[in-house]
Amino acid sequence: MAEELTPENPENPEISENPEAPEESEEPIKQRKNGLYPGVSDELAENMKSGWADTELRDPEPIAQAAETAARRAALSARFPGERLVVPAGNLKTRSNDTEYSFRASVEYAYLTGNQTEDGVLVLEPKGDGHTATIYLLPRSDRENGEFWLDGQGELWVGRRHSLTEAEKRYGIPASDVRELADSLREATGPVRVVRGYDAGIEAALTDKVTAERDEELRVFLSEARLVKDEFEIGELQKAVDSTVRGFEDVVKVLDKAEATSERYIEGTFFLRARVEGNDVGYGSICAAGPHACTLHWVRNDGPVRSGDLLLLDAGVETHTYYTADVTRTLPINGRYSELQKKIYDAVYDAQEAGIAAVRPGAKYRDFHDASQRVLAERLVEWGLVEGPVERVLELGLQRRWTLHGTGHMLGMDVHDCAAARVESYVDGTLEPGMVLTVEPGLYFQADDLTVPEEYRGIGVRIEDDILVTADGNRNLSAGLPRRSDEVEEWMAALKG
């Protein structure tokens, strides 16, 4: 990794703190401590200003979801008439020293704009009966003051940014320089709301103009707006699922290599598919072999992969527009379930079947969870692991020792989407066409659970699919992956040749 020339420059703040401002200091540019160059000569600085081709994009294509983001902004405008609304993308976060984590824009910002660049801010200014939207962005790197090649976030270091003119055409929103926004917001009058938690500088500029209660109302509205997906979103979720199916196939084909190494071979294999076909994984992949399957969010992925054990693979590809799949399969590493593994797996399969059948418009959101839990409670009583009757078990929640988690959640731009929605709109709400949720029952017999027979201990099974609520029922977006135990075995055998 190359070393930047001037990431810090206390003697020349125009370069270090505001790299695109006109240079006022005549002092030489100062390199970082332990850098190899003592500075930049006047001749080199002048040379770097010229001789570059014009790379402005004259007619960039609008983003695919431009019509949808415009409709979303219109809905937001209608909900908060007469109020200034501020939605930041967020800033880069330091990973260590002078390296940053890969940037992912806030969901609220990306949902309303389609833009994914750091430091961006969407502002809706009240005007008449509605609002005027402006997207505030960093312009292209300045070539006159050297920022494009000297600053750590300059164009030659991290890549070209779109010009403001290009951005306007791509996103269908007037664009302005974000470096001027904080001062403008400090002078703002009238009611203001901001989405908190992403940009401390923007929040500081509004500190005397906003309240936590009003800002939370904005956040809740934007979360609930995503409960029902539009056609673009459904298409993106299907893309994410289709790539995820291929990622699962990739894993099955290399299970022998995972046995020779560790769960990380599985993680890396799936990650390759996610990066080739999408933006990233939508969450840390859970590649849990053997007893690790009993840890719900096992993301260390550093354990052994052994023939005869089960592999619980919970993973999802995230598309370039941030929509993620969330699919789980529990696979026999050697390709065949043992008798006990099959018994437990089939119980979870039956529970999932009951849950999926309960997903339909007009049904209560909780119905699929209740249907799945009932099946699992019945099996636990039948196997003698908990004392019945089943109604008593469900009333007291006794099955939760082995089922542990809820049976699903909303899915979208976050793997646990719409999390800020009101309880009455989400968990206590009613399913509508366009909602997408997971159905994912599981049974987990911990390795140290002395209340179950020894042969059960260390077995964990979860089956998870992404379900779209349709006008007449539901559609399993992840039906491309087999679920029934015999079909899983046949599928694995075919993939292994």
Side-chain angles (χ1 to χ4, degrees):
M1 182 177 182
E3 186 178 51
E4 302 150 25
L5 295 180
T6 58
E8 300 177 8
N9 189 10
E11 296 184 21
N12 192 348
E14 287 77 20
I15 293 293
S16 63
E17 297 178 16
N18 190 2
E20 296 194 24
E23 186 171 353
E24 297 176 358
S25 173
E26 296 299 325
E27 297 180 20
I29 296 172
K30 200 170 187 178
Q31 69 166 12
R32 72 166 69 201
K33 186 178 183 180
N34 293 317
L36 293 175
Y37 286 104
V40 177
S41 69
D42 292 342
E43 290 79 5
L44 177 58
E46 192 62 31
N47 176 274
M48 291 296 288
K49 292 179 183 180
S50 60
W52 305 100
D54 180 6
T55 60
E56 181 75 9
L57 303 178
R58 304 303 173 192
D59 196 21
E61 289 289 322
I63 58 171
Q65 69 269 41
E68 285 80 6
T69 55
R72 297 165 194 168
R73 294 192 298 273
L76 176 61
S77 173
R79 171 61 179 83
F80 298 103
E83 302 185 52
R84 180 179 282 102
L85 309 173
V86 182
V87 185
N91 316 122
L92 290 172
K93 291 182 172 62
T94 299
R95 180 178 184 272
S96 180
N97 189 23
D98 60 349
T99 60
E100 292 86 20
Y101 288 105
S102 295
F103 180 74
R104 190 182 191 275
S106 74
V107 164
E108 295 86 351
Y109 175 84
Y111 177 75
L112 293 168
T113 66
N115 178 257
Q116 299 178 6
T117 55
E118 65 270 18
D119 301 328
V121 184
L122 173 69
V123 178
L124 271 61
E125 297 275 356
K127 182 178 181 181
D129 295 334
H131 290 79
T132 299
T134 304
I135 188 170
Y136 288 86
L137 302 166
L138 283 172
R140 286 195 62 190
S141 298
D142 193 335
R143 291 181 183 267
E144 188 63 27
N145 73 356
E147 181 260 353
F148 80 107
W149 73 288
L150 294 173
D151 187 84
Q153 294 302 317
E155 187 170 301
L156 299 193
W157 289 99
V158 297
R160 182 188 187 279
R161 293 192 290 265
H162 283 293
S163 71
L164 297 181
T165 301
E166 292 169 352
E168 288 185 359
K169 294 176 180 177
R170 282 176 53 78
Y171 304 109
I173 314 171
S176 292
D177 190 336
V178 72
R179 295 168 303 173
E180 303 168 358
L181 180 59
D183 287 341
S184 173
L185 292 177
R186 290 188 189 95
E187 303 301 320
T189 58
V192 184
R193 297 178 191 254
V194 64
V195 177
R196 299 190 181 201
Y198 298 114
D199 193 319
I202 293 299
E203 289 181 38
L206 294 169
T207 186
D208 60 340
K209 307 177 194 304
V210 295
T211 67
E213 181 181 4
R214 288 162 50 78
D215 292 347
E216 180 63 13
E217 289 175 350
L218 172 60
R219 179 169 173 260
V220 168
F221 173 81
L222 290 172
S223 194
E224 293 187 2
R226 302 197 307 275
L227 283 168
V228 176
K229 271 59 181 178
D230 58 40
E231 287 303 313
F232 176 84
E233 294 178 288
I234 293 169
E236 289 299 293
L237 284 166
Q238 187 65 70
K239 286 181 191 175
V241 168
D242 292 345
S243 289
T244 299
V245 168
R246 290 187 283 273
F248 273 67
E249 292 171 348
D250 295 339
V251 167
V252 171
K253 292 174 183 177
V254 300
L255 279 177
D256 57 335
K257 294 183 174 62
E259 287 187 62
T261 52
S262 75
E263 295 162 338
R264 291 198 174 179
Y265 203 97
I266 296 167
E267 178 184 358
T269 298
F270 187 85
F271 181 70
L272 177 61
R273 177 67 65 173
R275 287 294 280 167
V276 168
E277 296 191 1
N279 177 58
D280 206 330
V281 289
Y283 53 95
S285 298
I286 299 167
C287 308
H292 288 162
C294 298
T295 301
L296 299 183
H297 287 172
W298 176 260
V299 293
R300 298 180 200 171
N301 298 334
D302 59 359
V305 178
R306 299 188 178 100
S307 179
D309 284 346
L310 297 176
L311 167 67
L312 190 156
L313 178 58
D314 183 338
V317 173
E318 177 186 81
T319 67
H320 294 291
T321 55
Y322 288 174
Y323 289 87
T324 184
D326 182 9
V327 178
T328 306
R329 291 293 183 269
T330 305
L331 310 173
I333 292 169
N334 63 10
R336 303 286 295 183
Y337 295 101
S338 70
E339 183 177 347
L340 179 59
Q341 289 169 349
K342 185 177 185 300
K343 180 176 85 166
I344 296 170
Y345 183 95
D346 288 348
V348 175
Y349 172 82
D350 290 344
Q352 194 199 28
E353 283 282 276
I356 292 173
V359 175
R360 57 184 179 274
K364 293 296 183 183
Y365 176 84
R366 293 180 180 271
D367 287 354
F368 76 93
H369 168 73
D370 293 341
S372 292
Q373 291 294 300
R374 175 171 291 278
V375 171
L376 295 178
E378 289 171 351
R379 298 303 170 85
L380 291 167
V381 171
E382 177 186 325
W383 298 340
L385 301 183
V386 63
E387 181 181 349
V390 170
E391 293 299 337
R392 168 183 171 271
V393 173
L394 291 170
E395 180 181 356
L396 299 176
L398 300 180
Q399 83 283 359
R400 292 180 61 185
R401 181 182 180 102
W402 303 284
T403 67
L404 292 175
H405 54 80
T407 311
H409 52 80
M410 291 295 181
L411 184 68
M413 296 182 84
D414 280 325
V415 65
H416 298 141
D417 207 26
C418 313
R422 293 168 297 173
V423 171
E424 57 266 32
S425 300
Y426 190 160
V427 174
D428 289 341
T430 300
L431 295 180
E432 301 177 40
M435 289 182 170
V436 180
L437 56 115
T438 68
V439 179
E440 51 174 314
L443 281 174
Y444 312 92
F445 300 103
Q446 305 299 325
D448 58 351
D449 187 351
L450 302 181
T451 70
V452 299
E454 185 175 359
E455 61 267 25
Y456 283 73
R457 298 172 198 167
I459 296 177
V461 173
R462 180 163 68 251
I463 312 172
E464 177 180 21
D465 285 270
D466 302 341
I467 310 298
L468 167 67
V469 183
T470 62
D472 57 357
N474 69 66
R475 183 169 89 238
N476 185 350
L477 300 179
S478 44
L481 277 179
R483 293 186 294 125
R484 215 172 61 200
S485 56
D486 59 336
E487 293 175 343
V488 169
E489 291 176 341
E490 293 170 5
W491 169 71
M492 292 183 69
L495 286 172
K496 290 182 176 183

